[in-house]
Amino acid sequence: MSLQWWQGPCQPLDHVARAKAETRQQQLTKPTGSLGRLEALAIHLAALQGRERPSLDKLWIAIFAGDHGVVAEGISAYPQAVTGQMLANFVTGGAAISVLARQLDAALEVIDLGTAAPLPPLPGVRHLQVGAGTQNFARDPAMTLAQAMICLEAGRDSIQRARAVGCDLFVGGEMGIGNTTAAAALACWLLDCPASELAGPGTGLDGAGVAHKARVIDAALALHRAQIDGPLQALIHLGGFEIAALTGAYLAAAQQGMAVLVDGFICSVAALLAVRLNPGCRDWLLFAHHGAEPGHVRVLQALEAEPLLELGLRLGEGSGAALAVPLLRLACALHGQMATFAEAAVAERPS
């Protein structure tokens, strides 16, 4: 396969800015290391942003939505119509992520990649309609190569819009009934493990429902395994439109030098896929929380990720990442606004 855009080089970290940030941390009026991980976060953000004192004033949240044909296998507690209904809820301000975006003074964009039922144009929604949702991957490949490319590019385009307005941090979210099944199937292939280890309740399946979900995934993996020769083919056969868009966004952010805060299970699977497609993007990914979906911990381990929060969240929408933003902003504020020992005329620890 010829070089695809996502295989291009990612931006390097700024080691000069990192060194300056490390020196500053050592001079602030506190015992060295007393702010724990907040110190390391500020230093890493300095390296990402190329400045001694990083800031996260401008936040961009993009919600990617798409339906999933595998819902026909009875793997969701909610009907597929909810995907389209939630698009309207996002832009009219009633969804959790809408509330959080307002509180954070964040830009919020909503991208419709393809719902099972046609939707009228919704003000504030970018309707791409790549297809009427994915195909049922229990029987056929989830999408075509062309559809996967469009979705990857949709993520890249969102990053370009974020960059045009000077965004400091990108948060991706997702909406799509059935998408924990697609994410678990992808993760099973990426991690080479059975569905019983990764399948979870999603929107609220009981134990029997989770067991059925795992059987559907295992059967799909057996059906497609011979045709999957790498992460891109895994996405085509098992993924979702919104997972593809998230993957494209994470890759493009790293290439363009924009920090990313990754949300829960589905977003983390997209992040793992992005890292498999281009390992250089890993440095640009921060991880917001450890969610309640049982497969999330395995995916985080594979990414060597240390999430910021553990609140038992399983909503999606980018909500967990949005909740972690104030923590990152405070880490930057402490790093940038605390006085040094010299400025405050405070005696330092004798060397």
Side-chain angles (χ1 to χ4, degrees):
M1 181 180 291
S2 62
L3 183 71
Q4 302 289 354
W5 65 263
W6 59 82
Q7 295 174 300
C10 299
Q11 290 292 318
L13 301 188
D14 189 323
H15 296 292
V16 173
R18 178 193 290 277
K20 289 181 177 179
E22 287 175 341
T23 298
R24 176 170 175 78
Q25 276 291 331
Q26 294 168 2
Q27 295 173 344
L28 298 179
T29 48
K30 58 178 177 60
T32 300
S34 59
L35 286 175
R37 288 182 61 198
L38 296 181
E39 297 182 13
L41 286 167
I43 291 167
H44 186 59
L45 285 166
L48 294 177
Q49 294 187 356
R51 51 193 177 191
E52 178 185 351
R53 303 189 193 194
S55 64
L56 299 175
D57 298 326
K58 290 189 177 181
L59 173 64
W60 185 274
I61 303 174
I63 308 299
F64 301 101
D67 270 321
H68 294 260
V70 73
V71 169
E73 302 298 319
I75 49 75
S76 176
Y78 279 77
Q80 210 160 30
V82 169
T83 302
Q85 292 164 357
M86 283 300 297
L87 287 172
N89 197 25
F90 291 140
V91 293
T92 56
I97 193 60
S98 310
V99 175
L100 291 166
R102 288 196 298 273
Q103 294 297 313
L104 296 170
D105 194 24
L108 175 65
E109 74 166 9
V110 180
I111 299 105
D112 168 21
L113 296 158
T115 55
L119 296 176
L122 296 170
V125 175
R126 292 179 178 270
H127 293 285
L128 301 187
Q129 207 59 30
V130 179
T134 57
Q135 297 298 307
N136 181 356
F137 69 68
R139 304 175 186 275
D140 299 291
M143 66 188 83
T144 66
L145 174 61
Q147 288 175 320
M149 293 297 181
I150 293 170
C151 293
L152 286 163
E153 290 168 3
R156 181 187 64 185
D157 292 346
S158 181
I159 293 296
Q160 290 172 343
R161 290 189 291 271
R163 190 180 184 201
V165 297
C167 170
D168 297 312
L169 181 70
F170 175 85
V171 168
E174 40 62 38
M175 177 63 213
I177 297 301
N179 61 7
T180 58
T181 301
L186 265 176
C188 285
W189 187 87
L190 292 167
L191 300 177
D192 192 22
C193 65
S196 60
E197 296 182 13
L198 297 182
T203 52
L205 292 174
D206 60 14
V210 173
H212 170 68
K213 182 176 179 176
R215 289 192 295 270
V216 169
I217 293 170
D218 281 334
L221 290 167
L223 174 67
H224 296 290
R225 195 176 296 277
Q227 286 75 48
I228 299 176
D229 61 2
L232 179 60
Q233 284 296 317
L235 173 65
I236 289 168
H237 282 264
L238 303 169
F241 293 157
E242 76 280 40
I243 296 172
L246 285 162
T247 302
Y250 297 154
L251 290 162
Q255 290 175 332
Q256 298 188 32
M258 183 180 299
V260 170
L261 186 56
V262 179
D263 190 42
F265 176 58
I266 295 155
C267 292
S268 296
V269 172
L272 180 59
L273 183 64
V275 171
R276 295 291 178 87
L277 288 167
N278 187 339
C281 76
R282 175 62 186 86
D283 284 339
W284 293 86
L285 307 177
L286 302 167
F287 291 82
H289 72 109
H290 174 198
E293 195 71 8
H296 197 193
V297 65
R298 290 286 300 275
V299 176
L300 292 171
Q301 288 170 348
L303 287 160
E304 298 182 356
E306 190 175 2
L308 301 174
L309 305 173
E310 185 167 358
L311 299 172
L313 304 173
R314 57 183 181 90
L315 175 59
E317 303 178 6
S319 56
L323 286 166
V325 168
L327 187 63
L328 290 179
R329 284 178 168 171
L330 289 170
C332 291
L334 288 165
H335 177 80
Q337 298 175 30
M338 281 183 69
T340 64
F341 283 101
E343 290 167 344
V346 173
E348 296 187 54
R349 178 179 176 178
S351 57

